[in-house]
Amino acid sequence: MPGHPEVTGFFDPRTWSIQYVVADPETKQCAIVDPVYDFDEKSGQTATTNADRILDFIHNKGYTVAWILDTHPHADHFSAARYLKEKTDAPTAIGEKVIEVQKLWKGFYNWPDFPADGSQWDRLFADGDTFKVGNIDAKVMFSPGHTLASITYVIGDAAFVHDTLFMPDSGTARADFPGGDARVLWRSIQAILALPDETRIFTGHDYQPGGREPQWESTVAEQKAANIHMARYKIEDDFVAAREARDRTLAMPKLILQSLQINMNGGRLPVPEANGRRYLKIPLDLLTGAAWDEMDRD
Ligand SMILES: N[C@@H](CCC(=O)N[C@@H](CS)C(=O)NCC(=O)O)C(=O)O
Ligand SMILES: [Fe+2]
């Protein structure tokens, strides 16, 4: 029998992200999954409100942080992994294919000195790697498609699938970022749906369709029965055609160009310039999907 970790989700309404604390109640060891470092693009302000809320929760529960985990280099928010490592001294980890994402974006940002070698994390997971959260066994599954570095963490009976499946009423993640691939995403989702039916599925975003309250937990059985994309498109080619058609209508996430330069660097903010201030670098005319193209937008 797989272990049954206590899972607490923390919803960030600004990025529709769900951050998790996954704990072994016996040993009080926990992992933090996909923490958000706050950034307001209009003022340029950063903050640690989300991450501090997680730290307060962990402190109140008497937990020790064993791991700080990211499922992929996010394109819509900054990772708080580095900040939380400074606060807890716990090791950070991500999937080893992050190196391919680093190589891609190192070129996009024209950042020749950037070490595209994954050295920004304490551990790079390969497909099938195992680790522990207290006494609970955890396993890594590669889940590329949304990004080429995406992974799923299966911790006991809980799978952290981030941007593959959303809640059943929301379908699946987009696959049109650089390195994304709808066909590869379909195959990754099939592997997730091959987990035992009772496996708890924790998603990384909830865009609150119809304005409902945020939700983030389902099961493999519920996803197979009711996911609006997976229950509808039973054949790989049909899914790929529908996914690619929808992706052509989606605007880029508003923080993609700001986020990748932080997240490819393990959540480190840019080094301050001589005047002590940090600056982001935005490549012009790199991505498609401008506001004046016909797009659905929030
Ligand atoms: N409007 C959001 C969109 C973020 C977005 O593109 N999210 C990705 C996951 S990182 C996704 O899969 N979205 C699915 C969809 O919008 O259908 C933003 O600007 O941040
Ligand atoms: Fe994502």
Side-chain angles (χ1 to χ4, degrees):
M1 279 289 282
H4 185 75
E6 183 185 288
V7 178
T8 309
F10 296 84
F11 183 71
D12 170 32
R14 296 191 66 249
T15 61
W16 302 274
S17 299
I18 301 105
Q19 316 153 82
Y20 293 99
V21 173
V22 189
D24 171 14
E26 248 173 62
T27 60
K28 293 190 175 277
Q29 298 249 336
C30 73
I32 301 171
V33 181
D34 288 323
V36 172
Y37 194 90
D38 309 297
F39 174 63
D40 174 54
E41 73 282 5
K42 289 188 179 143
S43 64
Q45 288 283 333
T46 63
T48 56
T49 312
N50 268 295
D52 289 337
R53 190 172 154 219
I54 292 173
L55 286 174
D56 284 350
F57 172 81
I58 287 170
H59 179 76
N60 290 338
K61 286 279 197 176
Y63 292 160
T64 309
V65 183
W67 287 102
I68 302 162
L69 306 173
D70 268 299
T71 50
H72 65 291
H74 306 281
D76 64 321
H77 65 267
F78 297 2
S79 167
R82 191 71 205 169
Y83 172 73
L84 289 170
K85 182 180 169 66
E86 279 157 18
K87 293 283 170 188
T88 64
D89 213 26
T92 57
I94 199 164
E96 66 180 3
K97 295 274 184 215
V98 76
I99 291 171
E100 303 307 315
V101 176
Q102 288 180 317
K103 286 182 187 155
L104 194 64
W105 284 87
K106 174 182 167 135
F108 290 168
Y109 288 119
N110 188 27
W111 192 351
D113 300 339
F114 180 80
D117 58 4
S119 57
Q120 298 80 358
W121 291 268
D122 296 305
R123 180 148 174 201
L124 294 183
F125 286 123
D127 194 23
D129 270 0
T130 57
F131 63 102
K132 289 257 187 192
V133 178
N135 291 331
I136 299 178
D137 289 324
K139 189 173 173 175
V140 171
M141 284 167 66
F142 275 8
S143 302
H146 171 63
T147 74
L148 57 79
S150 296
I151 60 179
T152 292
Y153 294 104
V154 184
I155 306 178
D157 69 348
F160 297 85
V161 302
H162 212 278
D163 302 345
T164 51
L165 295 164
F166 295 134
M167 288 303 285
D169 62 358
S170 303
T172 57
R174 66 195 293 177
D176 60 330
F177 298 159
D181 186 316
R183 195 167 294 282
V184 172
L185 178 63
W186 163 270
R187 292 177 188 164
S188 294
I189 291 174
Q190 295 304 320
I192 292 167
L193 295 179
L195 291 168
D197 270 355
E198 61 282 5
T199 306
R200 292 180 288 163
I201 298 283
F202 293 97
T203 189
H205 288 295
D206 185 61
Y207 295 105
Q208 300 182 260
R212 65 150 169 70
E213 284 300 297
Q215 295 173 7
W216 47 82
E217 179 175 351
S218 59
T219 62
V220 165
E222 286 163 6
Q223 290 284 358
K224 284 200 281 207
N227 184 287
I228 54 166
H229 295 165
M230 302 315 290
R232 179 157 174 206
Y233 306 113
K234 296 283 186 196
I235 296 169
E236 181 174 318
D237 285 343
D238 293 350
F239 172 83
V240 171
R243 186 67 259 171
E244 288 179 348
R246 171 153 168 79
D247 286 352
R248 279 192 290 274
T249 72
L250 296 175
M252 280 293 141
K254 66 178 180 230
L255 299 184
I256 185 169
L257 296 171
Q258 294 90 331
S259 300
L260 259 305
Q261 62 200 282
I262 308 291
N263 296 339
M264 69 191 267
N265 203 8
R268 288 167 182 78
L269 296 178
V271 175
E273 296 193 2
N275 62 357
R277 195 164 302 288
R278 302 174 195 272
Y279 294 84
L280 292 167
K281 186 173 179 184
I282 303 292
L284 303 185
D285 299 317
L286 170 74
L287 301 176
T288 55
W292 46 83
D293 295 341
E294 278 192 35
M295 297 271 166
D296 280 352
R297 45 198 69 249
D298 300 312

